[in-house]
Amino acid sequence: MANSTHTGSGKTVVVIDSGWSPTWETAASVVYQHDYADNDGDARNPNADTHGALVTSRILSQAPDVGIIALKVMPDNSTTASGAAIEQALQWVVAHASDHNVVGVNLSLAGGSASSEMTTILSDELASLAAKRVLVSAAAGNAGQNGTATDVSYFAADHNTICVTASTGDGALPGWAQRNPGITDLCADGTDIRLTDLAGRTVTANGSSFAAPTVTAAVALAQQEALALRGSALTQDEFLSLAKQTGTPLGATGYTDLNTQAMLAKIGQLYGAPETPGTGPGAPATTAATILVNAKGTAAAGVNAHFTLLVDGQAVGSATVGSAAKTYAFTTSVSADSAHKVQIRYDNDGFAGGQDRNLFVDSVSVNGHGYAATDAAVTYDKGALDGRDVVKGQSGMWWNGTLVVVADKSLFGTKAPSQAQLAELQAGDLLGHAVSANAASHGIADGAGWTPELLPAFEDAAHGLHAWYDAHDMAA
């Protein structure tokens, strides 16, 4: 989200959970706190990795400038909350939402089994919040029994919550993820979610508890955009309609994975930016950036390689990478006519059971211009992204670190390429990869220059390209 206003600034979300921990980057974001388990004003939890701290950290990783209201409903060293405590917390939100610009509530609290919409002791409060356009994201639960169950948690089954089922983040649903086609509203990545505390220690989390915060963060960003562009917040139905229009269908399951950036772009397209100070004539122009990362990885202990894509240090999206090379697409908005740094941050290097987890980045395409991992404009910053331990670019990322592409300003003109042009560019990018791969299969070194022996490689690649066009309903 480089040079983007999509950070949650000026908006607040409520986390009703086990409290927060100063071990995580949350303290500066907490604008109000209360402990309904012990009935005092301190919602901190002595457990550094308490559930609420991890949930809050996940929200801030997606919406870094959003304010947090931490309402603690579990005693220390407990994973159970009473319905009365949760109801008290929601009653406070109903009474004070307008005082703190609250736009969303996160309920990563699962329990019970509902196969149809139902009411609970929280339904009155949830209806009041929906009327105020404060959207509540509720975790569906993790007792999916290998996908055979068709139920969700009680709170997620309320008509006035957004029921969030966990996905794998790459087009599938884990067997443990509870879902119901008549209740589940959205899916979001809830597997191998990596969070890092202030000491640099990484925790990997799984569950719908960590899918719901992604939706909560998206609510904050969407409401920030809607309020800025049209002057009113989205209703729950409006938010879900936009999320489903712009999300990624999970095969033929009927479920949809959230695509926050695509949803924000849709809001901008629908309502347009008003001419306000700083956005009229003479203001810095912005343009779209479409970034394609061709990558593959090796797994360790059943966990695939994962990377986060940043532009100028701001997270745009992330992907979990399988063993087969695949092109991952990202879009964002950047300042026009300026150079930008595209950064692929590998963040889960590991060795387990005799297996070494690694990430391999073959190439990066920025608005149609391809960069090989070994190009002069590419460097590899090992470890933290701090400008130290920097070496020339390479495909194999053997250690945690960041591949940095300095993309020339000529790629960021004020006129963004059309969707058809982007599709053509992506097809060309795929053709180049196909030629290289097929050349290698014919025993020809990549970059060897044109020889008659390359003809079979081009023919094979052309067949693949025609198939790609057919799959995208385009004429080759």
Side-chain angles (χ1 to χ4, degrees):
M1 291 179 287
N3 297 308
S4 172
T5 58
H6 303 146
T7 63
S9 178
K11 302 296 173 275
T12 305
V13 298
V14 179
V15 179
I16 299 177
D17 214 291
S18 64
W20 63 283
S21 168
T23 306
W24 296 83
E25 286 186 301
T26 56
S29 301
V30 175
V31 298
Y32 178 83
Q33 59 181 310
H34 191 83
D35 185 343
Y36 286 96
D38 295 326
N39 197 27
D40 60 44
D42 186 355
R44 288 175 296 180
N45 193 306
N47 176 8
D49 297 333
T50 187
H51 188 267
L54 301 183
V55 165
T56 304
S57 180
R58 180 60 174 166
I59 292 172
L60 290 172
S61 72
Q62 309 294 306
D65 294 328
V66 74
I68 299 293
I69 291 177
L71 301 183
K72 184 180 176 185
V73 292
M74 302 178 195
D76 294 344
N77 302 315
S78 174
T79 58
T80 302
S82 71
I86 300 171
E87 185 176 30
Q88 283 183 299
L90 284 172
Q91 288 170 344
W92 183 92
V93 181
V94 171
H96 298 282
S98 59
D99 300 337
H100 296 279
N101 293 322
V102 174
V103 294
V105 176
N106 194 90
L107 280 179
S108 288
L109 307 174
S113 172
S115 56
S116 61
E117 286 191 350
M118 63 176 293
T119 58
T120 68
I121 62 169
L122 308 182
S123 292
D124 289 346
E125 289 78 18
L126 294 172
S128 295
L129 290 173
K132 292 175 177 284
R133 303 193 181 191
V134 175
L135 309 188
V136 181
S137 305
N142 308 321
Q145 302 174 21
N146 293 320
T148 59
T150 56
D151 61 350
V152 300
S153 171
Y154 284 156
F155 301 147
D158 194 286
H159 179 73
N160 290 303
T161 63
I162 298 171
C163 176
V164 184
T165 290
S167 72
T168 61
D170 57 2
L173 292 164
W176 46 259
Q178 285 177 256
R179 65 263 198 182
N180 178 285
I183 308 175
T184 294
D185 294 303
L186 283 175
C187 301
D189 190 0
T191 57
D192 296 329
I193 303 300
R194 295 177 63 81
L195 302 166
T196 305
D197 67 12
L198 294 176
R201 195 172 66 88
T202 299
V203 173
T204 300
N206 290 275
S208 60
S209 284
F210 302 98
T214 297
V215 175
T216 299
V219 164
L221 302 182
Q223 297 294 42
Q224 179 188 13
E225 185 77 336
L227 285 162
L229 296 184
R230 74 175 197 177
S232 62
L234 301 169
T235 65
Q236 179 173 299
D237 286 344
E238 287 175 324
F239 175 86
L240 288 175
S241 175
L242 288 165
K244 290 175 181 178
Q245 287 177 50
T246 58
T248 304
L250 296 180
T253 63
Y255 298 103
T256 302
D257 235 349
L258 175 70
N259 184 331
T260 301
Q261 293 304 310
M263 181 176 60
L264 295 174
K266 184 68 173 180
I267 294 171
Q269 178 187 4
L270 286 174
Y271 302 113
E275 193 162 307
T276 56
T279 63
T286 61
T287 189
T290 295
I291 300 161
L292 309 176
V293 179
N294 186 268
K296 63 182 178 180
T298 56
V303 178
N304 287 321
H306 179 274
F307 73 85
T308 299
L309 182 85
L310 306 96
V311 176
D312 299 330
Q314 298 295 314
V316 171
S318 62
T320 300
V321 179
S323 59
K326 179 180 175 182
T327 297
Y328 300 86
F330 305 88
T331 59
T332 189
S333 177
V334 297
S335 58
D337 301 317
S338 300
H340 295 282
K341 290 184 178 180
V342 176
Q343 300 146 325
I344 299 95
R345 184 174 66 196
Y346 174 39
D347 51 21
N348 71 332
D349 181 50
F351 186 88
Q355 298 174 314
D356 189 9
R357 187 182 306 116
N358 292 302
L359 175 69
F360 300 88
V361 176
D362 178 43
S363 65
V364 180
S365 175
V366 181
N367 278 352
H369 180 82
Y371 293 90
T374 54
D375 280 356
V378 183
T379 56
Y380 181 22
D381 191 343
K382 299 179 182 179
L385 181 56
D386 55 9
R388 304 176 182 177
D389 301 318
V390 176
V391 298
K392 66 180 182 179
Q394 62 185 61
S395 174
M397 299 178 69
W398 313 112
W399 310 272
N400 278 339
T402 305
L403 207 64
V404 180
V405 179
V406 180
D408 189 82
K409 69 178 184 179
S410 63
L411 302 176
F412 305 102
T414 54
K415 184 178 180 181
S418 68
Q419 289 300 313
Q421 288 172 320
L422 290 175
E424 185 176 354
L425 291 169
Q426 186 174 359
D429 187 52
L430 294 174
L431 175 60
H433 291 305
V435 170
S436 295
N438 281 287
S441 72
H442 286 80
I444 302 167
D446 191 21
W450 171 258
T451 68
E453 289 79 10
L454 267 175
L455 183 58
F458 271 97
E459 290 175 341
D460 290 349
H463 288 302
L465 181 59
H466 275 278
W468 187 91
Y469 272 118
D470 290 340
H472 289 76
D473 296 321
M474 295 172 61

